[in-house]
Amino acid sequence: MTEVVLGVSGGIASYKAAELLRLFTESGHSVRVVPTESSLHFVGAATWEALSGKPVQVGVFEHVDEVAHVRIGQAADLVLVAPATANILAKAAHGLADDLLTNTLLTARCPVMFAPAMHTEMWENAATQANVATLRARGHVVLEPAVGRLTGVDTGKGRLPAPAEIFRAALSVLEGRVQDLRGRHVVVSAGGTREFLDPVRYLGNRSSGRQGFALAEAAVARGATVTVVAANVSLPAPAGVTVVPVVSTEDLRREMHLAAVDADAVVMAAAPADFRPAEFVDAKIKKTADGTTPEIRLVENPDILVELVAARSSKHPVIVGFAAETGDAHATVIEHARAKLARKGCDLLVVNDVSAGKVFGQDDNEAVLLGADGTVEQVPFGPKSALAHTIWDAVVRRLD
Ligand code: CTP
């Protein structure tokens, strides 16, 4: 049975840690809650003792004979601090040890993960950012906070990611994923763009964003800092990623260029619309009395992937494209894909056979990974998360 230490520090979001705790216990993990003194203003020790079925201790001078300040960290398979306040991040970054949680962080030899929650100003403060960078450089996983409603009337970055999302990220870390994307910034596009004809109608496509989000989640588990530019995705965002929502291909293009400036890897998993209406009509297009139907003239959208390859920074990011193909009378799926890889100029092309409605909106996927260096890797039918990890494996081999 895996031993999880759930550190709870003093933020209003600490009540959400109760749900997180249940997700662990109900899936057979043993959880020991180690709250900080200030967190007890929000959720009392009795709650943690009842939900975890274990005693709760805050300081290091109770039950001294058990040497809890050393034992708990030593025995843990994962130490997860959720919510992590600016204060606990600062203490952890500087190695302070003035309560049981900070002692546990110092003695843990297992993976350590923080799910920060605080006001936007505190998160963006240079001191907090420096502490986060220090913790990440040491190999700890620090999730990006989510964006949304904060305490009071404020809205912004700093919300605790949803307990289910933190749980998923924690499971990936527990699976022993190598932190081979640590210190790397990866940018993933997801979803499908919409091109508006008038204020209510658009041309769109069936991309759900599942594969892009699976890539983002897998990259977080491998230690990367992840930006997802998400076009009309209605799925919950994976914990710890920065999501930039966009609508049209032009929005996606702008945000991808911005995010790619300092990226180590860029994955174009989104399905941008290839065409957009030549003009946008300001008012809703009405039916006419004589029954004539409107003609829609289309113009071609820029190819973002080709542009990203051309604009590659001196960091020389690894650039990955996707190709959803069907074979036809002229060529097979792979022949079309090879031609596309050459045309796009990217390093890797993930080829999906979408004949007969496969892939779109489903959880499983199969693919072939074509490398610009001639490599061909067949990825068997399986969850999109497995394909995501295979793609990152191929990216990691090409970094540096
Ligand atoms: N792509 C892009 N910008 C576009 C269209 C596509 O960046 N305007 C990217 C997609 O995100 C994907 C790759 O290019 O990574 C291939 O997309 P696909 O639609 O298969 O390519 P197309 O160039 O549109 O080719 P086709 O003529 O087969 O539609």
Side-chain angles (χ1 to χ4, degrees):
M1 190 189 273
T2 48
E3 297 289 335
V4 176
V5 172
L6 178 59
V8 180
S9 60
I12 188 76
S14 48
Y15 73 93
K16 295 185 186 167
E19 191 182 336
L20 186 58
L21 167 57
R22 293 207 79 130
L23 291 169
F24 279 109
T25 52
E26 282 169 11
S27 54
H29 298 84
S30 157
V31 184
R32 166 112 194 196
V33 182
V34 183
T36 63
E37 183 71 43
S38 54
S39 79
L40 299 179
H41 290 291
F42 299 98
V43 180
T47 301
W48 302 127
E49 293 193 341
L51 291 179
S52 68
K54 291 196 175 62
V56 160
Q57 190 178 326
V58 173
V60 291
F61 297 113
E62 305 134 48
H63 309 292
V64 176
D65 55 316
E66 290 167 17
V67 210
H69 73 289
V70 180
R71 294 265 182 276
I72 295 174
Q74 283 175 334
D77 296 298
L78 173 73
V79 178
L80 166 61
V81 185
T85 57
N87 190 46
I88 196 78
L89 293 175
K91 283 177 158 187
H94 294 278
L96 298 190
D98 60 357
D99 62 5
L100 188 57
L101 180 55
T102 44
N103 275 271
T104 300
L105 286 167
L106 282 183
T107 50
R109 293 277 169 92
C110 60
V112 175
M113 189 170 156
F114 297 88
M118 64 196 74
H119 266 76
T120 312
E121 291 83 351
M122 294 176 99
W123 172 252
E124 288 177 352
N125 186 283
T128 306
Q129 287 301 306
N131 292 332
V132 168
T134 301
L135 292 167
R136 285 183 176 153
R138 285 191 199 132
H140 300 326
V141 178
V142 184
L143 298 177
E144 287 291 311
V147 176
R149 180 85 190 266
L150 305 172
T151 323
V153 293
D154 299 356
T155 300
K157 189 165 186 172
R159 232 176 117 83
L160 186 74
E165 297 302 323
I166 300 174
F167 178 63
R168 282 162 69 98
L171 286 191
S172 314
V173 172
L174 267 174
E175 277 165 12
R177 281 283 160 199
V178 185
Q179 298 283 291
D180 51 5
L181 287 173
R182 177 169 10 127
R184 305 286 190 177
H185 177 211
V186 306
V187 179
V188 178
S189 68
T193 62
R194 292 177 183 173
E195 304 295 347
F196 276 79
L197 292 154
D198 69 14
V200 294
R201 302 184 180 96
Y202 59 82
L203 300 175
N205 62 66
R206 295 170 60 194
S207 179
S208 64
R210 276 193 171 79
Q211 186 63 67
F213 275 25
L215 278 156
E217 193 176 311
V220 169
R222 297 167 79 137
T225 302
V226 184
T227 305
V228 180
V229 184
N232 311 297
V233 181
S234 56
L235 305 166
V241 310
T242 300
V243 179
V244 182
V246 295
V247 176
S248 67
T249 300
E250 188 50 38
D251 300 339
L252 179 66
R253 176 195 197 196
R254 183 185 64 245
E255 296 301 334
M256 285 304 289
H257 279 289
L258 277 176
V261 166
D262 69 342
D264 296 284
V266 179
V267 183
M268 274 299 294
D274 286 335
F275 307 100
R276 66 179 185 279
E279 66 250 1
F280 172 74
V281 183
D282 283 332
K284 187 181 170 201
I285 302 166
K286 299 298 245 181
K287 281 182 277 196
T288 55
D290 64 3
T292 51
T293 52
E295 298 270 313
I296 301 169
R297 203 167 58 82
L298 299 175
V299 290
E300 199 169 324
N301 272 328
D303 191 312
I304 303 169
L305 182 56
V306 167
E307 284 188 358
L308 289 169
V309 169
R312 239 195 257 251
S313 70
S314 53
K315 240 182 166 182
H316 208 83
V318 176
I319 300 185
V320 184
F322 269 70
E325 299 287 348
T326 60
D328 57 25
H330 307 289
T332 63
V333 166
I334 292 297
E335 284 163 350
H336 278 304
R338 279 211 176 287
K340 190 167 286 181
L341 177 61
R343 214 165 54 236
K344 304 269 181 180
C346 51
D347 303 295
L348 271 171
L349 193 68
V350 185
V351 187
N352 292 135
D353 180 347
V354 290
S355 324
K358 283 190 254 173
V359 180
F360 288 110
Q362 295 174 14
D363 282 325
D364 289 339
N365 201 353
E366 72 185 318
V368 178
L369 257 57
L370 294 186
D373 49 8
T375 52
V376 182
E377 190 176 345
Q378 187 79 43
V379 188
F381 190 73
K384 286 184 174 175
S385 57
L387 174 58
H389 278 295
T390 308
I391 294 168
W392 290 126
D393 290 343
V395 168
V396 165
R397 286 196 293 275
R398 287 166 173 82
L399 284 167
D400 297 331

